[in-house]
Amino acid sequence: MMVRTETDHRTVVSRRALVGASAGAATAAALGLSATRMTAQTGTPAASPVAASTDTFIEPQVRASENGRLVMTLQAMEEATSGSPRMAYSDMLPGPTWRVRPGDNVKVALVNATTEGTNLHVHGLHVSPSGNSDNIFLHIEPGQTFNYEYQLPENHIPGTYWYHPHPHGVSAAQVGAGLAGAIIVEGGLDDLPELQGLNERILVLQGPFTGPGNQPQYLVNGQVNPVIEIQPGETQRWRLLNVSANAFFNLRLAGHAMHRIAIDGSPLPEAQTVDVQLLGPGERAEVLIQGGEAGIYELQSVAWSPDIPSQATDQFLVATMISAGEGITPAALPTTLIPFEGLGNDEIAAHREITFQENVTGPAFAIDNLAFVEDRVDQVVTLGTIEEWTIRNASPEWHPFHIHVNDFQVMSRNGVPESPHYEDTTLLPPNGEVVIRTRFADYTGRFVYHCHILVHEDAGMMAVVEVVE
Ligand SMILES: [Cu+2]
């Protein structure tokens, strides 16, 4: 039996970023492009030169299943760098990308080489929450190795997922230090004729770390402002993952629309053209990009939520796209994608109301007036049933709601019906509400729902659901 195991390591790539490589400017020069760029904000050429600290785009290493199996070791470790404290899986920032297929069996030996407890969560995967599967109640102590095993069902939805530690109280510190990586479940959209043969890129977004001069530093696949190359007219498929602990990425590519084909782990029934893709912590999207005329284009996170001072985010540069080389005739973009099987007409077994709160008295971050306690069950639901949850946000800040094991259809946001789609993490608007429907399919056991701003989760904004027969 062919089983791929982890055999090689490489140094955390961000070390190069810390010393300020200038490959991007060199690349631009080699391509004969003048040092002007399109800004994300205005779509017009900016006077300033290409940012000096760009780096050639590199993808995380891949661990791919073969013959239905993936076996690997992930060593959670602390990194001594000159910048902010870093942690890494197997000396990689981000960790290696798992490439698996529906029905696969995945075995991960998690080696805790850090000085504190950790564990492992597979965000968005529809797998058992019990035993040595996606069980976030496990505590893997320093020096301990734990053998996780995930059995993906044959009907698992192909898409973009990720993994990270989930130890209550220190999730923000560990994810924020760099412990995160992507999971790709193959199939689905991959098989659409319009998407076959496209250059595919994965952008694992992390930060802010503390960069030179104590400036916030955002990384793409461990690099500062990498250069992504595209040909004029070429179509590329980008998988965008916000695996930061607490940050929002409000992505805009100068001079280019993004054609969204998936949100979180699920394909959309129809492609959507957007100018800006907001990703809260934990959220993903897949977009198609068609290279514009030869030039340099910035991928920015544009200013977000300016009217909420505690969460307002200024614009920052994420990456640079260079369109160069032989122009090709743009292919027709797909419109209809994967047929949608929604929950809108199904029988609803129960309606629940869940409220996220920030309190002056009592727990500062709470759900339904309670801070998280791991041995208290907050919701008991019946296996196989569909429920509708109205999730209220009684605070003046955004909170990304996430629930493990089962994704959900977003029915409405602040009373406005949403187009048909599933998510596993969704933004609760300040003093607003989101209505979701979800089927508690296939797995009994205990798991959690929580805010994916991990400092909020660590402070108690998390609760337990138990699925029973
Ligand atoms: Cu929150």
Side-chain angles (χ1 to χ4, degrees), residues 248 311 356 358 365 393 395 397-401 428 450-457 461:
F248 288 76
Q311 292 184 311
F356 280 52
E358 296 182 36
F365 290 88
N393 178 358
S395 85
E397 290 191 305
W398 294 85
H399 299 287
F401 168 85
L428 306 179
H450 60 88
C451 177
H452 222 289
I453 293 175
L454 296 182
V455 289
H456 295 177
E457 172 198 316
M461 198 172 256

Side-chain angles (χ1 to χ4, degrees), residues 286-366:
E286 292 183 39
V287 297
L288 301 179
I289 303 292
Q290 272 188 334
E293 62 185 66
I296 302 174
Y297 304 90
E298 291 180 344
L299 177 65
Q300 294 268 11
S301 178
V302 295
W304 180 71
S305 194
D307 46 353
I308 300 175
S310 60
Q311 292 184 311
T313 307
D314 290 338
Q315 176 167 311
F316 58 89
L317 181 61
V318 175
T320 299
M321 187 178 83
I322 295 182
S323 181
E326 188 182 347
I328 54 181
T329 304
L333 293 168
T335 52
T336 299
L337 301 171
I338 304 285
F340 187 74
E341 294 177 30
L343 303 174
N345 297 318
D346 290 270
E347 180 189 348
I348 304 302
H351 296 260
R352 291 173 203 255
E353 297 188 356
I354 311 275
T355 304
F356 280 52
Q357 298 147 324
E358 296 182 36
N359 299 313
V360 177
T361 59
F365 290 88

Side-chain angles (χ1 to χ4, degrees), residues 19-165:
V19 301
S22 58
T27 305
L31 292 166
L33 294 165
S34 62
T36 57
R37 56 182 175 156
M38 303 288 279
T39 68
Q41 198 72 286
T42 62
T44 54
S48 54
V50 173
S53 62
T54 50
D55 209 345
T56 303
F57 183 83
I58 297 174
E59 304 232 355
Q61 286 189 25
V62 173
R63 302 285 180 265
S65 67
E66 291 180 19
N67 299 326
R69 297 192 65 197
L70 175 62
V71 178
M72 83 185 100
T73 297
L74 277 184
Q75 184 174 32
M77 55 202 295
E78 287 154 3
E79 294 278 329
T81 69
S82 56
S84 50
R86 297 282 172 92
M87 301 176 84
Y89 285 122
S90 302
D91 209 22
M92 287 177 251
L93 189 72
T97 299
W98 312 357
R99 269 197 174 266
V100 297
R101 298 191 64 83
D104 278 0
N105 181 272
V106 181
K107 288 191 170 81
V108 180
L110 178 70
V111 179
N112 184 359
T114 76
T115 55
E116 57 190 51
T118 189
N119 61 16
L120 193 62
H121 169 51
V122 283
H123 182 122
L125 288 194
H126 181 59
V127 295
S128 167
S130 304
N132 64 342
S133 182
D134 189 20
N135 179 354
I136 58 88
F137 298 102
L138 294 168
H139 301 275
I140 315 305
E141 300 302 329
Q144 190 183 354
T145 295
F146 188 83
N147 295 308
Y148 285 93
E149 180 172 358
Y150 309 102
Q151 179 60 51
L152 275 66
E154 293 289 346
N155 64 351
H156 197 288
I157 297 170
T160 305
Y161 303 90
W162 65 294
Y163 61 92
H164 64 88

